[in-house]
Amino acid sequence: MSHKSRNFVVAYALLVGLPLLGLGAVLRTGRTTQAPTAIGGVFKLESGVGHVLMPDLFILILQIAVVLSVCRIVGAIFQKIGQPRVVGEMFAGIMLGPSLLGWLSPHSSSYLFPPSSLGFLNALSQIGVLVFMFVVGLGINPRELKKQGHAAVLTSHVGISAPFVLASLLSLYLYPRLSIVNNNDSVTFTSFTLFMGAAMSITAFPVLARILQERNLLGSRLGTVAIGCAAVGDATGWCILAYIVVLIRAAHSTGSIWVTIGGIAVFGLIMIYGVRPLLRGCERVYKSTGALSENLIALMLLLVLISALCTELLGIHALFGAFLMGAIMPKQRHFVRYVLDRFETITVTLLLPLFFAFTGLRTNIGLVKGSEMWMYCGLIILVATAGKLGGTTLAAWFTGIPLREAAGLGTLMNTRGLMELVILNIGLDIGVISPALFSMMVIMALVTTFMTTPVLGLICPKEFLAIEPEKVVAQSSPMPIDVPEGQSQVA
């Protein structure tokens, strides 16, 4: 074993292995923690969705028009203050929910978003998120990940393990206070802790790439390592989250977890050795003709939906199937750019804003009331930031990156964006977090995403990381794809 490899093993054991041992100790300790018997200011979110066969078409079209208008306007305002458009769209979703519109004008809110219509709005938004996860998977190139070397692997894994362990320690305090989900039903400490850890460990890969592009940093050392870390971290984080969702759902299922795991393994093999060669055929058609027929695009979309259905039936979540479908796609640059152009526009412009609006309707900041509840929210933001920003900075500095650049990398990794909202909606759907905790975590996602650009500007101003234009052109981008204009709206 070479000296460099030996140093990597030692560093990985210290910075990743020891925290994971601490996580095991926390989980063993927490099993004796008593669940609360009263909800203490946390209320059940009433859906009120009745059995309606057909939507009110006028209301549905009005909802889409309002959501699209508000998201575009607020997104443009946020762009004016130096924020990615997606941050504004996230805030716009909150504004349309009970936190602002429902508070200022309950009558208007009940007319625009009657409970009976939310199922249809949710259905449209979920289709958008499915396609978005396919796009995210499409942007992850396993071959490029290998090129990033030990530094990216160590830094990204510390960036996951550090917030995971800190979240587990915080869970010892929050579990007796916030684990009630429905009436007096409390989730287990293990499920609560693992989900909190996963939710605090995620990084928004596309919005991070957009920030780097806007600051002309894609060809710099910071940009190269950041893209590598985010890609490795996203792939690892979604694998961890899939495992957690399986554990949580298996706890409420009569079937054997080993049957589920076996089914997932078979599904993965089919995707890699069965579907992947079929997709390479699409790539060959594109190389020879320079385009794909509508039938092939439809086939691709059909495979995304089938993959999503399979993972949903296997007890993970439909989003994991869509993500895997994107991950196994051929990664030739021009082919990926072509596929993105076909899938992104309608998803980013129309369907994702509907997801922001639906998330906003599920978020009620009014549930976070009183100094005690806001203290819990502040602790969540503090722990999430300390774990992700602090852990990544420490690991990057340990690998030889100057401290200032390491802190800039940690700031970038602390970006959560839409990816965090996707995970939180999964947690609310499977019943592992309450509406009040969901609202706190959404606030955390907004704060950590909003702070990225200004904090990065303070730590690493443009002149500090400036690179010559010719060097940017000369260096091959570590991105598996060119960052598209549409991704200014995606996180």
Side-chain angles (χ1 to χ4, degrees):
M1 181 182 294
S2 67
H3 180 69
K4 183 177 180 181
S5 298
R6 188 162 51 248
N7 286 344
F8 171 76
V9 171
V10 172
Y12 196 92
L14 290 174
L15 296 177
V16 179
L18 287 180
L20 293 181
L21 289 177
L23 172 62
V26 170
L27 292 176
R28 285 194 298 273
T29 303
R31 290 194 183 102
T32 62
T33 303
Q34 294 295 319
T37 56
I39 204 162
V42 183
F43 304 102
K44 180 181 177 181
L45 183 66
E46 296 180 1
S47 64
V49 178
H51 184 65
V52 183
L53 294 179
M54 292 295 293
D56 185 329
L57 191 58
F58 177 82
I59 290 295
L60 184 61
I61 294 175
L62 180 62
Q63 288 174 344
I64 294 173
V66 170
V67 169
L68 186 59
S69 301
V70 173
C71 283
R72 299 302 294 184
I73 292 171
V74 178
I77 293 173
F78 271 66
Q79 279 188 313
K80 294 291 185 181
I81 61 174
Q83 290 285 339
R85 176 181 290 274
V86 66
V87 181
E89 293 186 346
M90 289 168 64
F91 273 92
I94 304 300
M95 291 166 57
L96 290 170
S99 300
L100 185 61
L101 180 62
W103 175 61
L104 292 176
S105 180
H107 179 73
S108 300
S109 179
S110 61
Y111 174 77
L112 183 59
F113 298 106
S116 60
S117 72
L118 299 187
F120 305 106
L121 188 65
N122 181 34
L124 289 174
S125 70
Q126 290 301 316
I127 296 298
V129 177
L130 277 177
V131 180
F132 168 74
M133 290 307 300
F134 167 71
V135 169
V136 172
L138 189 60
I140 293 179
N141 190 341
R143 291 182 180 177
E144 294 291 340
L145 301 186
K146 294 179 182 178
K147 296 179 182 179
Q148 302 307 319
H150 291 162
V153 173
L154 176 63
T155 304
S156 62
H157 285 184
V158 173
I160 291 175
S161 62
F164 215 112
V165 173
L166 290 180
S168 69
L169 292 172
L170 180 63
S171 296
L172 288 171
Y173 177 71
L174 294 182
Y175 178 72
R177 297 163 176 83
L178 295 175
S179 64
I180 291 276
V181 177
N182 293 316
N183 297 328
N184 289 324
D185 296 330
S186 177
V187 298
T188 65
F189 176 79
T190 300
S191 299
F192 182 87
T193 300
L194 291 178
F195 184 84
M196 288 290 288
M200 290 191 183
S201 303
I202 200 68
T203 294
F205 177 74
V207 74
L208 181 148
R210 182 63 185 182
I211 290 172
L212 290 172
Q213 184 194 43
E214 290 176 348
R215 293 176 62 85
N216 196 30
L217 294 177
L218 277 177
S220 67
R221 175 172 57 183
L222 176 61
T224 301
V225 177
I227 289 297
C229 289
V232 173
D234 259 18
T236 305
W238 280 96
C239 290
I240 293 172
L241 183 63
Y243 174 72
I244 292 170
V245 172
V246 168
L247 285 182
I248 293 171
R249 284 186 165 176
H252 298 87
S253 173
T254 56
S256 171
I257 189 175
W258 296 111
V259 174
T260 301
I261 293 175
I264 294 171
V266 171
F267 170 73
L269 291 174
I270 291 174
M271 291 293 289
I272 293 172
Y273 296 106
V275 178
R276 198 176 187 181
L278 178 65
L279 297 172
R280 285 175 179 159
C282 295
E283 183 186 34
R284 287 192 292 271
V285 171
Y286 174 78
K287 285 182 177 179
S288 61
T289 64
L292 294 177
S293 67
E294 290 185 2
N295 287 336
L296 287 179
I297 295 294
L299 174 63
M300 215 172 284
L301 182 58
L302 180 62
L303 289 174
V304 172
L305 298 177
I306 292 174
S307 179
L309 285 174
C310 289
T311 52
E312 182 67 28
L313 289 173
L314 287 170
I316 315 177
H317 196 282
L319 297 181
F320 293 101
F323 176 79
L324 179 60
M325 177 65 186
I328 66 170
M329 286 283 291
K331 302 301 181 181
Q332 195 273 335
R333 184 180 298 271
H334 298 295
F335 175 76
V336 170
R337 177 68 268 162
Y338 180 87
V339 174
L340 282 174
D341 288 340
R342 298 301 176 274
F343 280 91
E344 269 191 336
T345 303
I346 190 69
T347 303
V348 168
T349 305
L350 176 63
L351 297 179
L352 281 184
L354 298 183
F355 175 75
F356 293 132
F358 186 73
T359 301
L361 291 170
R362 305 178 90 179
T363 304
N364 188 352
I365 297 178
L367 295 179
V368 188
K369 59 182 180 180
S371 58
E372 186 177 21
M373 296 290 280
W374 280 106
M375 182 190 70
Y376 299 154
C377 185
L379 283 174
I380 289 172
I381 296 172
L382 179 63
V383 168
T385 303
K388 196 70 177 179
L389 195 156
T392 304
T393 300
L394 177 63
W397 180 64
F398 194 87
T399 59
I401 296 177
L403 184 58
R404 199 169 183 179
E405 285 187 49
L409 179 62
T411 303
L412 289 167
M413 293 299 106
N414 197 41
T415 304
R416 287 175 173 84
L418 173 57
M419 302 301 293
E420 180 73 14
L421 300 188
V422 172
I423 290 178
L424 295 179
N425 276 276
I426 292 175
L428 194 58
D429 289 337
I430 64 178
V432 74
I433 56 175
S434 67
L437 182 56
F438 174 83
S439 299
M440 293 180 193
M441 297 292 283
V442 169
I443 293 172
M444 180 270 290
L446 291 172
V447 171
T448 55
T449 306
F450 184 87
M451 68 184 284
T452 298
T453 300
V455 173
L456 183 64
L458 289 174
I459 296 175
C460 300
K462 290 183 178 181
E463 58 272 16
F464 175 75
L465 293 172
I467 50 176
E468 294 80 0
E470 59 270 16
K471 288 187 178 180
V472 178
V473 175
Q475 294 180 13
S476 61
S477 169
M479 288 283 287
I481 57 174
D482 293 323
V483 181
E485 286 299 315
Q487 281 191 352
S488 64
Q489 309 165 40
V490 182

